[in-house]
């Protein structure tokens, strides 16, 4: 799961697409306009991102709109959460250690 | 280069002791052993040289008995106000199996701010989320090539 996320994000064009979609949903046409690449090249990048479940594409009228899915990106931040536990636990014990020394 | 995730962790805690005492608790091996690591972990200090460029190496043991080393290099040592180090080797508790180690070092900076009789610790850690630029240069690009091949055949 995470491998697919990393693989999808190991390409600068796809990272840039994710960057744009963080701010707003965009139609495929709008994404194409941001790059000097053909529509089919962009479509392939969007396929990779969609397969990695980083984005969703839905049809809105005549347009296909891309939006970001938060879940795989959240997995990347699990490390932060783990370290938050690490430091909070440690500092609690530090507090007890210092309090113990004072008595 | 778009950073995809915000990867700065900030922790604050007030300790009922002077900045000197708190700073020393971070840089004295026998004191570090008394508190370092999550609940249930034990830490043995192999090396702790609290000077700029000096190394630390802690042998941690998880509650399961698993060995979990953590090591790095001090980058700022300014008693009693500031301590910073780069973690080269991460040891961590309770990470889901499919979460890998950070692909590179992370940077920790701790400020000890006197506040009357107490000290506020402000700890910031950066670089924990995977750095995509590094990933791009690593084995991930091979995965990507394979993904592209699969797509081309599709």
């Amino acid at each position: 799961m995470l491998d697919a996320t990393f693989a999808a994000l190991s390409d600068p064009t796809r990272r840039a697409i994710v960057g744009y979609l963080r701010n707003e949903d965009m139609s495929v046409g709008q994404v194409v306009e941001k790059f000097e690449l053909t529509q089919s090249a962009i479509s392939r990048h969007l396929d990779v991102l969609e397969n990695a479940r980083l984005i969703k594409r839905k049809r809105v009228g005549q347009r296909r709109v891309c939006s970001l899915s938060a879940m795989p990106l959240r997995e990347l931040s699990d490390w932060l959460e783990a370290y938050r536990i690490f430091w909070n636990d440690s500092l609690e014990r530090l507090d007890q250690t210092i309090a113990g020394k004072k008595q | 280069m778009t950073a995809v995730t915000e990867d700065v962790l900030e922790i604050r805690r007030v300790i009922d002791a002077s900045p000197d005492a708190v700073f020393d608790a971070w840089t004295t091996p026998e004191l570090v052993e008394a508190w370092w690591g999550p609940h249930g972990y034990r830490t043995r200090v192999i090396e702790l040289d609290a000077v700029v460029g000096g190394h630390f190496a802690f042998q941690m043991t998880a509650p399961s008995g698993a060995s979990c080393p953590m090591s790095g290099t001090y980058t700022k040592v300014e008693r009693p106000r500031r301590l910073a180090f780069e973690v080269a080797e991460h040891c961590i508790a309770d990470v889901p199996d499919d979460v890998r180690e950070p692909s590179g070092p992370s940077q920790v900076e701790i400020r000890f701010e006197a506040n009357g009789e107490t000290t506020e610790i402000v700890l910031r850690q950066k670089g924990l989320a995977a750095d995509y630029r590094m990933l791009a240069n690593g084995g991930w690009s091979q995965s990507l090539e394979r993904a592209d091949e699969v797509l081309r055949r599709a």
Side-chain angles (χ1 to χ4, degrees):
Chain A
M1 179 61 232
L2 205 60
D3 283 12
T5 309
F6 283 135
L9 291 169
S10 66
D11 175 88
T13 301
R14 290 198 286 269
R15 284 200 297 273
I17 293 172
V18 168
Y20 286 124
L21 294 177
R22 280 180 80 197
N23 302 323
E24 55 179 347
D25 291 357
M26 293 165 83
S27 69
V28 174
Q30 286 173 306
V31 176
V32 171
E33 282 171 19
K34 295 279 185 188
F35 299 93
E36 293 179 1
L37 291 169
T38 62
Q39 168 126 15
S40 69
I42 292 292
S43 286
R44 283 225 341 247
H45 284 309
L46 294 174
D47 289 344
V48 176
L49 289 170
E50 195 165 47
N51 288 338
R53 292 191 285 172
L54 281 159
I55 67 164
K56 294 191 206 64
R57 276 180 289 192
K58 52 183 183 285
R59 193 164 280 288
V60 180
Q62 292 302 304
R63 303 188 316 156
R64 293 181 75 210
V65 174
C66 310
S67 60
L68 199 60
S69 323
M71 212 35 233
L73 290 178
R74 192 164 307 131
E75 286 186 18
L76 291 177
S77 69
D78 282 354
W79 269 98
L80 287 191
E81 201 41 48
Y83 253 96
R84 186 179 297 283
I85 294 166
F86 183 103
W87 292 123
N88 277 329
D89 282 6
S90 294
L91 295 182
E92 199 173 309
R93 292 167 61 187
L94 170 62
D95 206 1
Q96 291 160 358
T97 302
I98 287 186
K101 277 181 62 189
K102 284 180 138 181
Q103 285 159 14
Chain B
M1 174 62 218
T2 308
V4 179
T5 49
E6 187 59 57
D7 71 337
V8 181
L9 175 64
E10 182 175 296
I11 307 267
R12 289 171 177 260
R13 193 178 182 97
V14 176
I15 304 272
D16 188 12
S18 69
D20 288 284
V22 179
F23 186 95
D24 290 346
W26 278 82
T27 51
T28 309
E30 54 273 23
L31 293 176
V32 168
E33 288 184 347
W35 65 266
W36 187 274
H39 294 311
Y41 276 66
R42 281 178 297 123
T43 297
R44 196 160 58 84
V45 173
I46 310 290
E47 184 182 9
L48 194 164
D49 183 18
V51 297
V52 173
H55 293 283
F56 66 89
F58 302 156
Q59 182 54 55
M60 296 167 62
T61 309
S64 65
S67 138
C68 188
M70 184 166 175
S71 64
T73 307
Y74 292 100
T75 53
K76 290 176 188 156
V77 183
E78 298 159 19
R79 185 178 188 267
R81 301 196 48 77
R82 188 158 63 157
L83 179 70
F85 48 86
E86 184 162 82
V87 182
E89 199 177 15
H90 294 87
C91 159
I92 199 71
D94 311 321
V95 175
D97 286 346
D98 64 347
V99 175
R100 293 164 183 276
E101 284 235 347
S103 55
S106 66
Q107 293 77 36
V108 180
E109 177 158 318
I110 309 111
R111 290 176 178 274
F112 305 96
E113 294 170 1
N115 195 343
E117 298 291 293
T118 63
T119 300
E120 184 177 31
I121 295 178
V122 182
L123 182 148
R124 287 195 184 87
Q125 186 163 15
K126 286 192 300 197
L128 277 173
D131 181 326
Y132 304 143
R133 281 164 299 187
M134 282 193 285
L135 292 173
N137 299 332
W140 302 117
S141 52
Q142 292 161 23
S143 310
L144 174 65
E145 281 163 26
R146 288 168 53 199
D148 276 351
E149 277 167 19
V150 170
L151 287 168
R152 264 199 290 277
R153 283 201 299 271

